[in-house]
Structure formats: C-alpha cells, structure tokens
Amino acid sequence: MNGADLLRHYYDELLALLVTEIAHSIPGFNDGIENARHPLRRQRQTALRLSLTGMTHAIDARHGIVVEPMDWSEHVELGRMERRYGRPLGQILRAPWVASRTIIRFVNDRAADFGISVDACHETNEIVVEWSDQISIEFSEGYNDETAARSSQLEARRHHLLRTVLADTAPTDDALQAAAQAANWRPAPRIRVLVARGPGRDHYRRHLPSGSIAADLDDELVALIPAAHATTIRNSPADDAVAALGPRTAIGNSAYSARLARRAIALARSSRPEFIDSTNCELDLVAFADVAAAEAFSRRLLQPIEDNPQLVETLYAWLCHHGRPQATAHALGIHPNTVNYRMNQIRERVGSAIDSPDHRLDLYLATHIAVSGATGLNGETQ
C-alpha cells in the first residue's frame, strides 16, 4: 500500500475537505461567487479534481506504473478566469498551499490505520509539495497571460480613443463617451495635449498627472492631460526628448491643441532636449503659421538691412522697448549712444516708415521672425 492507494480510497471525502478548508482559510475566496454553479467555482472544482488525480498518478509513476502525462491546461485556464473575474493573484496562490497542508495532514492521520509505512508517507508528502509548487506555476502562467492580454486590449483602446479625439473631424459626444469608457478614462472638462518625441519620451509618461491618458502614436507620445494639472509636467523635463504642451481646450477640440503642440516642436527647430509651453510662444505660432510666407515676409521688409545682423537685432530690441534708447541699450548690453548710432543707420536704409505706427507692427513681426531663427538673413532656413 502507498499514498496513491489512500488518496484514491478517500478521494471524495478528501475533495470535499479541500473545498471547505480552502474557503475557510482564505478570506473572501468565494465572495461574489457563492453559487456553486458559478463558472469560476466550477473551474476551481475541475482543477482541484485534476490536481488530486495527478498526485496519485505521480505516486504511481514513482513505483513504475505507466501513467498519462499531466495536462495542465485546465489549471492555466483557471488562472486566466481568476484574472477575468478580478480576483487577486495572492489569493489564488494561497489555495495550493492550503490544499497541500490539508492533504499532508489527512494522509498522516490515516497512514497507520491504512497500513502505509513512514517512508511511503514521506514520499507522498514530497510529491504533494512538488505538485503544489507546480500548480502555483500553472495558475500564475494563466493569470499573467490574461493580464498581458487585458493590458494589450486596454492599450489598443487607448490608441483608439486618442486617434478618435485627435481626428481632423471632431467626434460626436456619443463616440467620445464610448471610446473614453472603453479606455477606462474619465475626461476632465478641459484638457491640454502633450506631444513628446525622442528616445526619452517615456519620461513624460512616468510623470503624467492623475487623470491623464497617453499612448505612443507614430513615433511620438501623445497624452491628454487635465488642464488644471498640466503645468506640473513642465517641472520634470526629459534629458533625451523634445516635448510641447498645446493650449487648453475642450476634449472635443483636442486636435487643435495637438496641432499647436506639434507646431511648437517644429518651430523649435532644435534637436536638443526641450520643453515648450505653446502658451508662451503664441506669437511664434501666429507668425509662423506658414513658414514659407513668414520667411518671404521677413526678407521683403528687412531687405535694406539684411546684410547687417546687428542692425536687425537692434531694430528688434528698439521695437520691443517702444523706442526707448536706455532700455534698448540695456537689453543689448551696449551704450545708448551706440543704439542711437545704429538707429540712424537703420533710418537711412529703411526710411521714414520706421516711425509710422502702422508700419512698426510689420517691422516688429519681420524682426521677430528673423531674430527667432525661423529664417536666416541670407534667405536660407536655419
């Protein structure tokens, strides 16, 4: 006689005991699935029966009996189902431990009366522990597979949501609500769109404020951030990425915020790490709405002084400071007399238009475009 004989003899009694002990020893194990016909309860019963039968076969194999190899698919499926029903992994992994402890105690209590030697008891106990470990592995495999699948599905839903709200045609309220619900996201009343590019863009994903949602779209990270918390993201710039934050807008107008964020990145014309808040460069976004037109406009108005970058820079500073020589000199780090000298040169080249209020706005935009680096004074894009 060996442990397999004892397990077969008391199979039904032991099975019922295991069900009771597991439910009693693991708090909340059957919460929400009290009905014995619940699919999860039935799958647990199937896996428990197979486990007990498999243990008897493992003992038989130790004694030279040919047995069918164990099929662990039901245990893997149980792990998947536990995840689908939202059960914690720690809870399911306690079940094999409780079961092995119960079986070992059951066998040891009945071994003498059943005529099983001490060595046979040790053999049974060893196999029970080995099987407990293997069952835990199979449960974990199924649970983790389902977690990965759900994560992949959630990521796909996030992609769908972002593509929906960033489409050129604004989504309907129903389409937006359905996409947000599927992505498990509750939109804020107003949002700002973050666009990040470069190898270090995941840095921004890790620092997104609560209530944000993000996904990688076409080699860039795009995130919808609650407008009330969006500025916190600029406190954690990345070392290897360029990012821009679009303006505040309603969720249905996210495409506009994303468009200006991407435009801000394009206008930065820099490969170095940088964070840009579009609200701080609105003039650039307006002036460079059409880069080719902006370049042509700037070159046309500044043609008389385009050969002298110092004069362009001085004119820009002079216009920024409303024609005040002292303030202009301070901004440029030069003497006020130098400012006056250069302004006389500019007037000789540009003419009296420089003192016309209407023409000053055009000159300010032209010099702003040139000094900001959107166009070189030689007519070549920087």
Side-chain angles (χ1 to χ4, degrees), residues 106-223:
F106 187 93
V107 170
N108 291 343
D109 289 347
R110 290 160 179 76
D113 293 340
F114 205 74
I116 296 179
S117 67
V118 173
D119 288 343
C121 274
H122 289 164
E123 176 189 64
T124 300
N125 295 347
E126 180 183 299
I127 289 174
V128 168
V129 171
E130 289 176 358
W131 272 65
S132 173
D133 291 342
Q134 188 61 42
I135 290 168
S136 295
I137 292 172
E138 304 301 331
F139 284 167
S140 296
E141 179 182 335
Y143 196 97
N144 293 333
D145 283 351
E146 183 65 21
T147 298
R150 290 170 68 90
S151 177
S152 177
Q153 291 170 3
L154 183 60
E155 186 67 16
R157 291 168 185 165
R158 287 176 175 171
H159 275 78
H160 174 70
L161 169 64
L162 286 164
R163 292 194 185 280
T164 297
V165 300
L166 298 179
D168 291 336
T169 303
T172 64
D173 289 343
D174 289 343
L176 176 58
Q177 183 177 358
Q181 186 174 359
N184 195 28
W185 183 61
R186 180 178 295 177
R190 308 283 284 180
I191 61 95
R192 297 184 70 177
V193 177
L194 173 79
V195 177
R197 297 173 183 168
R201 63 181 180 271
D202 269 351
H203 170 88
Y204 288 103
R205 190 197 303 269
R206 293 191 294 270
H207 288 82
L208 290 175
S210 177
S212 304
I213 189 169
D216 284 306
L217 302 179
D218 303 324
D219 297 325
E220 62 183 17
L221 175 70
V222 180

Side-chain angles (χ1 to χ4, degrees), residues 115-382:
I116 296 179
S117 67
V118 173
D119 288 343
C121 274
H122 289 164
E123 176 189 64
T124 300
N125 295 347
E126 180 183 299
I127 289 174
V128 168
V129 171
E130 289 176 358
W131 272 65
S132 173
D133 291 342
Q134 188 61 42
I135 290 168
S136 295
I137 292 172
E138 304 301 331
F139 284 167
S140 296
E141 179 182 335
Y143 196 97
N144 293 333
D145 283 351
E146 183 65 21
T147 298
R150 290 170 68 90
S151 177
S152 177
Q153 291 170 3
L154 183 60
E155 186 67 16
R157 291 168 185 165
R158 287 176 175 171
H159 275 78
H160 174 70
L161 169 64
L162 286 164
R163 292 194 185 280
T164 297
V165 300
L166 298 179
D168 291 336
T169 303
T172 64
D173 289 343
D174 289 343
L176 176 58
Q177 183 177 358
Q181 186 174 359
N184 195 28
W185 183 61
R186 180 178 295 177
R190 308 283 284 180
I191 61 95
R192 297 184 70 177
V193 177
L194 173 79
V195 177
R197 297 173 183 168
R201 63 181 180 271
D202 269 351
H203 170 88
Y204 288 103
R205 190 197 303 269
R206 293 191 294 270
H207 288 82
L208 290 175
S210 177
S212 304
I213 189 169
D216 284 306
L217 302 179
D218 303 324
D219 297 325
E220 62 183 17
L221 175 70
V222 180
L224 307 181
I225 304 176
H229 308 296
T231 54
T232 61
I233 196 73
R234 67 186 177 196
N235 297 329
S236 303
D239 293 332
D240 198 14
V242 58
L245 195 60
R248 176 190 179 103
T249 185
I251 181 68
N253 201 25
S254 298
Y256 163 73
S257 186
R259 187 163 58 251
L260 291 194
R262 291 185 175 115
R263 192 71 187 137
I265 291 176
L267 290 176
R269 299 193 175 214
S270 172
S271 59
R272 62 183 176 83
E274 188 171 4
F275 182 86
I276 309 156
D277 189 332
S278 65
T279 59
N280 295 333
C281 58
E282 290 175 327
L283 178 59
D284 292 324
L285 293 173
V286 172
F288 303 133
D290 185 323
V291 173
E295 292 174 348
F297 171 80
S298 178
R299 284 197 299 270
R300 179 173 61 81
L301 265 69
L302 300 180
Q303 189 274 331
I305 58 172
E306 68 175 351
D307 63 331
N308 191 329
Q310 275 191 343
L311 295 185
V312 174
E313 183 183 30
T314 301
L315 177 58
Y316 179 60
W318 186 80
L319 291 168
C320 286
H321 293 89
H322 310 291
R324 297 195 300 270
Q326 291 285 353
T328 303
H330 180 74
L332 295 174
I334 60 178
H335 195 277
N337 289 342
T338 305
V339 172
N340 292 329
Y341 173 73
R342 291 180 183 176
M343 289 306 303
N344 287 334
Q345 288 185 296
I346 292 170
R347 283 189 172 87
E348 289 177 3
R349 297 189 184 196
V350 175
S352 60
I354 193 173
D355 295 312
S356 166
D358 292 337
H359 197 58
R360 277 192 183 185
L361 176 59
D362 290 344
L363 284 173
Y364 173 76
L365 288 176
T367 54
H368 178 80
I369 291 169
V371 172
S372 295
T375 179
L377 294 173
N378 61 0
E380 296 178 359
T381 301
Q382 297 290 330

